[in-house]
Amino acid sequence: PRNIPHGLAILANLIRKKLNITPQFLDINANRYTSEQVESILRSTEFDVVLIGGLIPVYSSVIFYADIIKNINSEAIIIAGGSAAMSVPKLLLNNSKVDVVCAGEGEKVIIDLLEGLQGHSLEDLTDIKGFYYKVKNEIIFSGKPDLISDLDNESDMPAYDMLPMEIYLSNPIIGFGRDIDFISSRGCPFSCTFCYQPWGRKFRAHSVDFMIDTIKYLKKNYKIDFLSFQDDEFMANKERTHEFCERVQKEIPELLWSVTGRVNIVNETIVGAMKKAGCVSISYGFESGSPRMLKTMMKHATIEQMEEAARVNRKFGMMLPVSFIIGMPGENEESCQETVDFCVRNGI
């Protein structure tokens, strides 16, 4: 386990700051707890509300733990989030003991809900946008929430001090010492057909000041060596990328880091600047070596751009992690072979 639960950890920090409540954080994945251990911990804890979630593979676990939570405290309100919940809110509410599904970015929704639940029922809180809940056999949606426009002021950094940081930091995946994930932006301006994109098409980002301050905090308190940016598209704003490179070079020159990139926006100038600032890896979603499949996917990228991105990465000594999708609608033996040929031709 090396991926910190960003969403829940940010909410924990906001709950602590805005509501003056210190939540108990239980990272089942990091600690590799058994279900019996989780139940034991829950039975020894007093709680009124449980926030639970994750990526879609934990969907069945959310249902499983909702049963345990309700068996321990039938009055507890269970609020689920992450793609395990928000991608299928009605399905989850109809098939589990979950009470609420957060329908988007949780920061404002959760704080308003927790404030409102002190003395009110869910039925009284429908003026709060951004959640689904069930009344008898009917599922109610309170309305689509606005996306956060100012991440610095409306969000926060994760509550690192509540997390089992040594577990994450002792499981490096790239091989540059103590490494940790970080998400500095939300939203992707592109529209690939296969992508589940809950954060909208508008790129919204933390300021470089926020990023530098957070990295310095991580360096000071956890002695990190490497930062892996897990943004949908870190390089979407080139000015911000260049500013970050300049600041890192001056203020944290020993930091190594990696990012996500896109073949139609990368060039030697920006990759050269990133290399000087400690970047060692730019990953790309190549997805297919077939021009026809790239058009079907609405990648807005060409084979030539993919080959150029690979060349530029290698020129600057960057690692080249890439992804491919086999089996998209419309895929056939010919297009699969084009992808294989592309990989062979480009040494991937």
Side-chain angles (χ1 to χ4, degrees):
R2 66 169 301 271
N3 302 103
I4 77 168
H6 258 88
L8 283 170
I10 290 171
L11 293 179
N13 215 5
L14 290 172
I15 290 167
R16 181 168 56 182
K17 289 182 177 180
K18 294 191 174 185
L19 302 181
N20 199 28
I21 297 169
T22 300
Q24 179 166 343
F25 205 105
L26 185 61
D27 191 334
I28 299 169
N29 176 56
N31 289 286
R32 291 298 196 255
Y33 288 135
T34 64
S35 57
E36 291 79 14
Q37 287 174 308
V38 174
E39 183 170 359
S40 176
I41 292 169
L42 290 171
R43 288 194 180 280
S44 66
T45 307
E46 290 188 30
F47 58 88
D48 303 301
V49 179
V50 176
L51 308 185
I52 186 171
L55 299 176
I56 196 68
V58 304
Y59 173 81
S60 59
S61 296
V62 171
I63 296 173
F64 176 80
Y65 285 115
D67 283 344
I68 291 177
I69 290 162
K70 289 291 189 178
N71 286 337
I72 294 170
N73 181 357
S74 61
E75 300 299 314
I77 300 292
I78 302 174
I79 304 174
S83 63
M86 62 190 292
S87 61
V88 285
K90 295 179 181 179
L91 190 72
L92 181 62
L93 287 171
N94 279 327
N95 291 282
S96 74
K97 293 179 181 176
V98 168
D99 298 291
V100 179
V101 168
C102 184
E105 293 170 305
E107 286 92 338
K108 182 169 172 42
V109 178
I110 293 300
I111 295 301
D112 288 350
L113 268 178
L114 293 180
E115 282 184 322
L117 285 171
Q118 299 180 54
H120 299 88
S121 65
L122 285 169
E123 291 87 339
D124 301 324
L125 303 178
T126 51
D127 58 326
I128 300 171
K129 302 298 182 186
F131 71 96
Y132 291 82
Y133 69 103
K134 188 162 55 177
V135 177
K136 295 180 180 177
N137 292 320
E138 184 182 4
I139 293 176
I140 310 295
F141 179 42
S142 69
K144 188 175 180 179
D146 293 330
L147 290 171
I148 292 173
S149 57
D150 187 343
L151 287 180
D152 282 8
N153 292 317
E154 296 179 70
S155 187
D156 210 325
M157 71 176 185
Y160 294 111
D161 59 307
M162 293 188 191
L163 304 176
M165 291 290 284
E166 283 305 317
I167 294 178
Y168 313 122
L169 291 167
S170 62
N171 283 281
I173 195 170
I174 300 183
F176 292 98
R178 292 163 65 82
D179 75 68
I180 200 75
D181 289 348
F182 187 68
I183 301 173
S184 72
S185 66
R186 299 177 191 177
C188 177
F190 300 98
S191 53
C192 305
T193 60
F194 54 80
C195 184
Y196 173 64
Q197 176 49 271
W199 309 132
R201 299 298 172 195
K202 183 179 179 181
F203 179 77
R204 297 163 292 130
H206 280 294
S207 67
V208 172
D209 282 340
F210 180 95
M211 296 161 66
I212 294 295
D213 288 346
T214 303
I215 295 168
K216 286 180 177 178
Y217 172 88
L218 289 167
K219 289 286 290 183
K220 177 183 177 182
N221 292 281
Y222 303 105
K223 297 179 173 54
I224 66 162
D225 302 303
F226 183 89
L227 200 71
S228 176
F229 285 99
Q230 299 294 318
D231 303 42
D232 287 323
E233 186 42 72
F234 181 89
M235 300 170 68
N237 184 322
K238 288 187 178 180
E239 290 76 16
R240 173 177 174 267
T241 303
H242 279 294
E243 182 188 353
F244 176 72
C245 291
E246 291 171 4
R247 292 282 302 277
V248 167
Q249 267 189 284
K250 292 177 183 177
E251 300 178 45
I252 323 172
E254 69 279 14
L255 181 75
L256 298 176
W257 46 287
S258 66
V259 300
T260 52
R262 208 172 196 280
V263 300
N264 61 335
I265 61 176
V266 74
N267 57 46
E268 288 195 9
T269 301
I270 196 166
V271 174
M274 292 165 67
K275 176 68 174 181
K276 288 181 182 178
C279 184
V280 297
S281 175
I282 305 175
S283 63
Y284 302 98
F286 283 175
E287 315 311 1
S288 178
S290 164
R292 178 178 64 81
M293 290 306 301
L294 290 175
K295 288 181 181 178
T296 297
M297 297 174 182
M298 294 180 64
K299 276 294 296 182
H300 298 295
T302 66
I303 298 296
E304 292 74 25
Q305 288 171 329
M306 290 157 55
E307 292 181 331
E308 174 65 6
R311 184 194 69 79
V312 171
N313 261 41
R314 286 168 173 156
K315 175 178 178 177
F316 289 94
M318 294 281 189
M319 298 171 68
L320 183 66
V322 295
S323 63
F324 292 92
I325 297 173
I326 296 293
M328 280 284 291
E331 189 89 81
N332 58 24
E333 185 175 350
E334 180 184 356
S335 58
C336 287
Q337 187 62 51
E338 287 180 290
T339 296
V340 173
D341 292 343
F342 172 88
C343 291
V344 171
R345 188 169 68 249
N346 289 281
I348 295 171

